[in-house]
């Protein structure tokens, strides 16, 4: 059984800040270390959802018009969405500082 945050001390933290309990990654902003991010060209996108299906996080969501986009709060910048896009509507660009 995992301890609540207020019950943890420095002795309870795993070396390397690894996720040790199922579902505990939701408390971490995992997109902060990203060095690149996906950008969609909506003029090419056919809304097939393949990017959504292959995203390992999953951080891809649909907007009001049905287009897909990455929730950068969670996106790691892995580029799988761009690789799997059949229309090449997604490009990976370097993150700006």
């Amino acid at each position: 059984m995992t301890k609540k945050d207020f019950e943890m001390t420095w002795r309870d933290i795993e070396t390397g800040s690894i996720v040790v309990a199922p579902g505990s990654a939701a408390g971490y902003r995992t997109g902060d270390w990203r060095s690149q991010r996906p950008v969609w060209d909506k003029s090419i996108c056919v809304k097939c959802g393949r990017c959504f299906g292959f995203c390992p996080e999953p951080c891809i969501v649909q907007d009001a018009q049905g287009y897909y986009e990455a929730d950068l709060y969670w996106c790691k910048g892995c580029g799988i969405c761009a690789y799997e896009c059949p229309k090449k509507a997604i490009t990976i660009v370097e993150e700006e500082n």
Side-chain angles (χ1 to χ4, degrees):
M1 182 174 196
T2 60
K3 294 181 179 181
K4 300 283 185 203
D5 287 338
F6 59 87
E7 297 173 346
M8 294 182 76
T9 68
W10 65 271
R11 291 183 179 107
D12 299 317
I13 299 172
E14 294 288 331
T15 303
S17 301
I18 60 173
V19 177
V20 294
S24 65
Y28 300 103
R29 186 177 177 139
T30 57
D32 282 349
W33 55 267
R34 177 184 60 251
S35 62
Q36 51 190 14
R37 62 184 171 87
V39 176
W40 274 255
D41 182 347
K42 292 181 180 180
S43 68
I44 301 172
C45 180
V46 294
K47 305 177 189 179
C48 68
R50 198 162 176 179
C51 55
F52 174 83
F54 278 93
C55 181
E57 195 48 40
C59 69
I60 298 178
V61 295
Q62 275 187 303
D63 66 10
Q65 294 82 28
Y67 290 104
Y68 292 90
E69 59 190 11
D71 180 350
L72 298 179
Y73 187 91
W74 302 107
C75 177
K76 310 278 191 305
C78 68
I80 293 173
C81 56
Y83 180 80
E84 294 295 336
C85 181
K87 296 294 184 178
K88 303 300 178 203
I90 307 169
T91 55
I92 301 296
V93 298
E94 292 294 319
E95 194 69 78
E96 296 177 13
N97 292 347

